[in-house]
Amino acid sequence: MGCSGRYYLLTLVLCVVTELAIGVRVVSKRKKEAISTADDQSTSASWWQAGTATPFRSDSSNNPFSSTHGLVQTHPSGSDPFSSFGGVGSTSRPSSNPFATSGSGPLSSGVRDNPLPLLARNANGKVSLKHLDFTSSATAELRRNPALSAPDECARACRENEPPRICYYHFTLELYTVLGAACQVCTPNATNVVWSHCQCVLADGVERGILTANRMLPGPSIQVCENDKVVIDVENHMEGMEVTIHWHGIWQRGTQYYDGVPFVTQCPIQQGNTFRYQWQGNAGTHFWHAHTGLQKLDGLYGSIVVRQPPSKDPNSHLYDYDLTTHVMLLSDWLHEDAAERYPGRLAVNTGQDPENVLINGKGQFRDPNTGFMTNTPLEVFTITPGRRYRFRMINAFASVCPAQVTFEGHNLTVIATDGEPVHPVQVNTIISFSGERYDFVIEANNIPGAYWIQVRGLGECGIKRAQQLGILRYARGPYQPSSQTPTYDVGIPQGVVMNPLDARCNVSRNDAFCISQLKNARHIDPAILQERPDVKIFLPFRFFVYRPEMLFQPNTYNRYLVAPQGDHVISLVDEISYMAPPAPLISQYDDINPEQFCNGDNRPANCGQNCMCTHKVDVPLNAVVEVVLVDEVQIANLSHPFHLHGYAFNVIGIGRSPDTNVKKINLKHALDLDRRGLLERHLKQGDLPTAKDTIAVPNNGYVIIRFRANNPGFWLFHCHFLFHIVIGMSLVLQVGTQADLPPVPPNFPTCGDHLPPISLH
Ligand SMILES: CC(=O)NCCc1ccc(O)c(O)c1
């Protein structure tokens, strides 16, 4: 296939950015104060089920704790899994439970945390912090340096004239376990997000080895105000593992070397080493996760919330509360190490699809073979009648499954995506992809009670019918919904869909909103909407399927993934499979052999169908860049979410070929459509394309994004599916030159090959 036409560099026109005044909105309505009574905060009670203890463990035979505490559940056939949940129904425990012999149970044993505080967070409102004793988790650094603020001091309502803080976090990364002995000492609090005093990780009640930051799942939440400085010391104690942490959604202007991409912005952090990340966050709902190997899927992720004073949020009049506890992090979950699925197996546990879905690291699991269900606590979000709440949803999935979130009996008013505010739209359900965030408002306007939250895994996750439940609970009301438990097939009625999978985005419809129909609530650089961008890049992507004879040729060791149907594949973006260089681009550029680099216009000689090199596309600083992503994957039902580091881009168009006799879109056809003016581009006055940093390219379709390349650096641009990253569905956009970048800090770690002359002494 020829390369011409894949990558266009048009004349760079430097545009003077005229700062247009944004319509200033005066928010005068005083926000309500937090209510923080104990019954708002804790889910109370335990999840031990009366009856015979049947801990659900992958192997309980040689585990000393196997019959002592655990997830006892006995509902093979649809009886109510919540009879002991939240203080409703039976609270007696199996006699084999060690807590039972204490006569008091974990709630009153004195070792359990105090109820977690509810922080009121509407910036005019007061912050109410109760019961929080952080002395035990204050690290040496916090004690030593009085200029630093602890996580709970930073998780506050943001005011306009308040001095910024320096918010300090210490992440200790370890190999750890779900249902370890820590669970004999305490039970985690269901609403704990900022940190935990309890080291018990329950997940979905199925024992497995995991990776954790500070023995929490998700890891610690970073919640700060817009101008705060954030400092995170990442101490790697994972045996035999290196790691980097990426701060997904944080632009890293001026701190490009702290973006956390291995061999692009840093050397991976070796075991036993501590790496200090420091950045200032752009406002919004973001998250952090490991960017090395498959570690993210084993538990290394957590939320980031960068709040603003309400006067700076164009949608602040739509909600009364923006609580630390109303972050909703969705993740997919396996019952074994992610590495068990890579490169992948042919007979047992094939493919990469998850066993389960978690909401804030919580959930239950129904064993499809036995029908037994764990009864670990579900996530509970508490609301007060009449109030309006901002929820911050993060899709931290690693797999290809879109996640569909529905709240029983409540509309969702979407007010932001990927940290960027939009003109509000009301929907009933949100479909999101790995890496995306959606902020929405829920008004507590239904009959006070408890309501189901359903998160379904779509796409490939439909095979295992992976879903999870949570509870939206009105304060002082029951913990248990009175309605039928939603099942995968008979769920909460879906109504209007945010982000429909059918990619019908060129028509206004009353059953769905496409992302390309959302309107940006912030100022858009007018140059973004000019007809011709300065740089236009077509990026088709697909898989290359190996024949086994090619892949397993003696003395060749090419990487591959065994896809769900058994195909052995690598990923190609513009016919190139990304390989990381042996040293970081940002700090050791000159150590890298220039022949390592490639792109569609510069393919290495003899680079065949499985061309592997460091795919890098250069973009002039300040150019207006358009990227057209084209899905050339020949698989139905699979849409790839692309994430750009360092930026939020404007989503100019999403669609499929209008040509009904074209069965499969490809680069050639997309170029042809573009020539004929048939690619959808929202460039009219008033279209206000929304800003995002992660966008799913619809299956058999395309996405057009634009951004002004005003943040110099080496920015990874990649499919956010974890198993697609490791087989090369990535490239680096180099914006500007090394001279445009701040130098890396003194003593920045170095790495690289060691290939000295061979000597016998
Ligand atoms: C012919 C072909 O492209 N096969 C690959 C299909 C595939 C690859 C990777 C996945 O994660 C996945 O779900 C499906």
Side-chain angles (χ1 to χ4, degrees):
M1 224 189 264
C3 305
S4 56
R6 282 164 184 274
Y7 168 50
Y8 296 109
L9 182 57
L10 305 185
T11 337
L12 167 62
V13 186
L14 276 178
C15 301
V16 182
V17 185
T18 38
E19 281 287 308
L20 291 190
I22 317 166
V24 179
R25 180 192 295 277
V26 181
V27 181
S28 57
K29 195 183 278 183
R30 235 189 101 66
K31 309 294 161 141
K32 285 122 201 163
E33 313 271 304
I35 297 162
S36 109
T37 61
D39 96 325
D40 268 24
Q41 295 157 5
S42 113
T43 53
S44 105
S46 60
W47 57 92
W48 283 267
Q49 186 74 23
T52 322
T54 328
F56 191 92
R57 286 169 178 278
S58 38
D59 174 16
S60 61
S61 56
N62 55 4
N63 188 314
F65 307 118
S66 62
S67 65
T68 55
H69 60 100
L71 299 160
V72 185
Q73 205 347 54
T74 46
H75 296 287
S77 61
S79 57
D80 183 2
F82 292 102
S83 55
S84 74
F85 183 71
V88 181
S90 166
T91 52
S92 62
R93 295 171 192 95
S95 55
S96 56
N97 188 310
F99 296 123
T101 57
S102 74
S104 53
L107 275 178
S108 48
S109 63
V111 291
R112 189 178 187 274
D113 286 7
N114 286 318
L116 223 260
L118 198 69
L119 295 192
R121 199 86 348 288
N122 214 318
N124 283 342
K126 281 185 194 146
V127 178
S128 167
L129 258 179
K130 286 188 182 172
H131 316 296
L132 195 69
D133 161 26
F134 62 89
T135 48
S136 59
S137 45
T139 64
E141 195 64 41
L142 268 175
R143 277 196 297 271
R144 191 159 48 228
N145 188 342
L148 304 181
S149 295
D152 67 301
E153 299 174 293
C154 286
R156 65 198 191 280
C158 304
R159 291 157 216 278
E160 224 150 331
N161 298 313
E162 195 201 29
R165 289 175 182 266
I166 304 172
C167 301
Y168 178 80
Y169 303 81
H170 193 108
F171 289 6
T172 300
L173 309 187
E174 295 172 288
L175 304 181
Y176 203 58
T177 38
V178 170
L179 292 184
C183 299
Q184 298 178 327
V185 182
C186 58
T187 62
N189 186 299
T191 52
N192 196 346
V193 288
V194 177
W195 65 41
S196 178
H197 292 261
C198 174
Q199 302 190 345
C200 165
V201 175
L202 293 171
D204 61 354
V206 179
E207 185 187 50
R208 58 158 288 188
I210 54 171
L211 303 175
T212 51
N214 299 358
R215 302 189 177 174
M216 296 169 70
L217 183 76
S221 176
I222 294 174
Q223 304 206 17
V224 301
C225 293
E226 195 170 28
N227 294 310
D228 292 347
K229 283 208 165 66
V230 179
V231 180
I232 313 102
D233 285 350
V234 176
E235 187 174 343
N236 178 12
H237 286 301
M238 298 185 291
E239 301 300 326
M241 283 188 187
E242 57 182 27
V243 69
T244 65
I245 302 291
H246 170 57
W247 319 92
H248 184 119
I250 304 295
W251 298 333
Q252 304 292 0
R253 288 176 183 278
T255 53
Q256 287 83 349
Y257 38 78
Y258 289 143
D259 192 41
V261 179
F263 303 108
V264 175
T265 63
Q266 70 174 101
C267 299
I269 308 162
Q270 301 295 322
Q271 181 192 349
N273 288 6
T274 302
F275 186 90
R276 177 167 294 166
Y277 291 94
Q278 307 190 54
W279 42 261
Q280 259 175 300
N282 41 293
T285 304
H286 309 300
F287 68 122
W288 58 264
H289 60 79
H291 215 296
T292 29
L294 304 170
Q295 294 159 339
K296 175 187 162 185
L297 188 46
D298 289 328
L300 290 186
Y301 46 76
S303 56
I304 300 175
V305 177
V306 180
R307 293 192 173 81
Q308 295 182 300
S311 56
K312 295 186 78 182
D313 174 9
N315 290 318
S316 65
H317 60 294
L318 296 175
Y319 54 91
D320 304 308
Y321 295 101
D322 176 6
L323 301 175
T324 54
T325 48
H326 284 23
V327 172
M328 186 177 178
L329 186 144
L330 314 178
S331 56
D332 44 7
W333 195 242
L334 300 175
H335 289 153
E336 60 192 353
D337 283 0
E340 283 282 334
R341 305 288 184 90
Y342 182 80
R345 306 156 70 165
L346 291 170
V348 187
N349 283 5
T350 57
Q352 289 75 38
D353 295 336
E355 265 87 51
N356 206 351
V357 174
L358 303 178
I359 304 174
N360 289 341
K362 298 174 195 72
Q364 302 185 335
F365 177 69
R366 185 177 178 279
D367 184 347
N369 299 318
T370 63
F372 279 92
M373 190 148 120
T374 60
N375 65 346
T376 26
L378 299 184
E379 182 62 321
V380 178
F381 298 100
T382 305
I383 58 177
T384 298
R387 307 286 157 86
R388 302 164 304 166
Y389 293 83
R390 178 176 192 154
F391 280 75
R392 296 170 176 272
M393 188 192 93
I394 299 159
N395 185 322
F397 273 48
S399 71
V400 297
C401 307
Q404 180 180 23
V405 175
T406 315
F407 283 66
E408 182 192 4
H410 293 79
N411 294 326
L412 314 175
T413 304
V414 175
I415 57 168
T417 180
D418 298 359
E420 298 292 310
V422 297
H423 290 201
V425 298
Q426 192 174 300
V427 299
N428 301 98
T429 190
I430 298 174
I431 296 177
S432 65
F433 284 80
S434 172
E436 288 190 287
R437 289 88 71 207
Y438 287 90
D439 292 24
F440 50 86
V441 174
I442 287 185
E443 187 173 352
N445 58 3
N446 209 326
I447 300 160
Y451 295 87
W452 290 113
I453 302 167
Q454 185 179 26
V455 182
R456 293 199 304 159
L458 305 180
E460 285 180 14
C461 281
I463 300 167
K464 292 183 188 165
R465 291 178 152 50
Q467 74 155 2
Q468 197 49 267
L469 301 174
I471 293 169
L472 181 70
R473 177 196 164 233
Y474 283 66
R476 287 176 287 277
Y479 282 86
Q480 192 186 322
S482 52
S483 63
Q484 194 93 69
T485 311
T487 63
Y488 192 92
D489 299 296
V490 186
I492 302 164
Q494 94 172 11
V496 180
V497 181
M498 177 76 246
N499 208 9
L501 296 178
D502 63 17
R504 280 180 46 233
C505 298
N506 55 345
V507 288
S508 169
R509 45 200 282 197
N510 52 20
D511 65 331
F513 282 101
C514 285
I515 289 162
S516 54
Q517 293 163 334
L518 288 176
K519 288 186 193 300
N520 199 321
R522 291 218 192 280
H523 168 69
I524 301 174
D525 179 348
I528 291 288
L529 303 178
Q530 71 200 12
E531 199 184 315
R532 288 179 184 281
D534 304 322
V535 178
K536 186 165 166 179
I537 305 166
F538 276 82
L539 292 176
F541 58 89
R542 65 182 181 101
F543 293 110
F544 169 73
V545 184
Y546 276 106
R547 282 173 295 108
E549 312 82 73
M550 180 182 181
L551 185 58
F552 301 109
Q553 236 173 67
N555 297 314
T556 68
Y557 304 97
N558 289 326
R559 66 180 177 193
Y560 62 94
L561 176 74
V562 183
Q565 300 308 313
D567 288 332
H568 288 49
V569 304
I570 55 166
S571 301
L572 300 173
V573 179
D574 205 2
E575 300 296 297
I576 293 165
S577 189
Y578 175 85
M579 278 291 212
L585 296 168
I586 208 165
S587 52
Q588 294 177 249
Y589 196 89
D590 296 337
D591 293 348
I592 302 168
N593 179 353
E595 288 177 14
Q596 172 86 29
F597 299 115
C598 63
N599 57 43
D601 293 341
N602 304 284
R603 286 170 67 87
N606 308 321
C607 215
Q609 295 172 291
N610 58 340
C611 188
M612 283 173 276
C613 45
T614 303
H615 191 172
K616 181 167 79 74
V617 170
D618 298 340
V619 167
L621 187 63
N622 289 318
V624 172
V625 180
E626 177 177 287
V627 177
V628 184
L629 290 160
V630 182
D631 175 58
E632 289 188 331
V633 178
Q634 303 285 336
I635 294 279
N637 221 8
L638 190 55
S639 301
H640 299 254
F642 272 74
H643 171 50
L644 176 60
H645 292 214
Y647 290 92
F649 46 72
N650 295 94
V651 180
I652 302 297
I654 299 179
R656 286 189 174 138
S657 173
D659 238 325
T660 43
N661 50 14
V662 170
K663 285 214 173 61
K664 186 69 194 85
I665 200 169
N666 57 25
L667 174 69
K668 190 168 167 297
H669 183 57
L671 288 168
D672 185 50
L673 289 173
D674 192 29
R675 259 189 301 272
R676 292 154 59 199
L678 294 176
L679 292 183
E680 195 191 312
R681 285 189 180 83
H682 294 266
L683 300 173
K684 291 194 308 290
Q685 196 86 42
D687 279 344
L688 304 178
T690 190
K692 278 175 75 61
D693 56 41
T694 309
I695 184 77
V697 183
N699 171 263
N700 198 14
Y702 64 88
V703 158
I704 305 176
I705 63 168
R706 287 187 180 184
F707 60 97
R708 182 183 283 284
N710 55 13
N711 186 11
F714 295 91
W715 302 116
L716 203 69
F717 186 33
H718 62 98
C719 173
H720 209 257
F721 295 145
L722 195 59
F723 291 96
H724 297 181
I725 298 172
V726 294
I727 52 170
M729 204 176 270
S730 305
L731 70 152
V732 171
L733 289 184
Q734 179 178 358
V735 176
T737 65
Q738 205 87 33
D740 297 315
L741 283 172
V744 296
N747 302 318
F748 199 70
T750 58
C751 50
D753 294 329
H754 175 62
L755 293 166
I758 295 169
S759 107
L760 297 176
H761 332 278

